[in-house]
Amino acid sequence: MLSFDGRNHFKVHLKRSVQFALIAKIKKIFSPKLRKSKNKYIQIGCGPHLFKDFDNVDFYTSSFSFWKKKRDFIPHDLRFPLPFQTESYEGAFSEHTLEHLYFDDAKFLIEEIYRVLKKDAIFRCTVPGL
């Protein structure tokens, strides 16, 4: 049983953070560098809420089952360039995603979203209020 006080709490989170970082590095190697957009819209940071007629993108899962072909979403580390061509989408949506990134990573992600959007496209983004 885990103890969530003092140093044990820190050790639990450090172990999990290292595990996620290792999984992300390994999965990034095997992920395609460029993907073809299948829909007109993209959802960034979909979590379990997948939208129909959207390309749903979220961080990798915490397992090593990356070789499985069937996925409900596109796994991608949002701290790196989005694997889509420039001006691929007519709209983008992101809900409660940016607040999980450091400031520089969030700024980079917004620049990447802008890159994959067509001219005059709409980007709807929500984050928690102050």
Side-chain angles (χ1 to χ4, degrees), residues 18-123:
V18 169
Q19 177 188 11
F20 270 110
L22 178 63
I23 289 170
K25 289 282 185 189
I26 292 171
K27 289 184 176 186
K28 189 173 183 317
I29 293 169
F30 292 101
S31 294
K33 304 302 178 225
L34 191 63
R35 294 177 183 264
K36 183 166 174 57
S37 56
K38 296 179 181 175
N39 295 291
K40 294 179 1 180
Y41 305 104
I42 185 171
Q43 179 184 196
I44 306 292
C46 62
H49 309 288
L50 305 176
F51 289 167
K52 184 180 177 188
D53 300 327
F54 275 71
D55 285 342
N56 295 287
V57 179
D58 200 8
F59 198 75
Y60 303 105
T61 59
S62 62
S63 70
F64 280 104
S65 59
F66 54 86
W67 57 85
K68 293 182 179 178
K69 296 290 182 190
K70 180 159 176 27
R71 289 186 192 99
D72 295 333
F73 67 95
I74 299 167
H76 182 72
D77 189 342
L78 300 176
R79 300 171 298 168
F80 294 96
L82 293 172
F84 302 105
Q85 293 181 353
T86 302
E87 297 186 3
S88 300
Y89 293 100
E90 294 179 16
F93 177 76
S94 179
E95 184 175 46
H96 298 292
T97 301
L98 292 177
E99 69 268 17
H100 296 281
L101 299 172
Y102 290 115
F103 177 78
D104 291 338
D105 293 332
K107 184 178 168 185
F108 177 75
L109 178 59
I110 291 172
E111 291 169 357
E112 277 296 296
I113 293 170
Y114 178 76
R115 180 186 64 81
V116 301
L117 288 176
K118 294 179 181 176
K119 187 178 178 180
D120 298 329
I122 295 174
F123 173 45

Side-chain angles (χ1 to χ4, degrees), residues 1-16:
M1 185 166 173
L2 297 174
S3 173
F4 291 103
D5 57 354
R7 284 186 287 185
N8 289 336
H9 181 72
F10 177 75
K11 288 179 184 177
V12 168
H13 288 287
L14 178 61
K15 180 181 175 184
R16 187 154 172 81

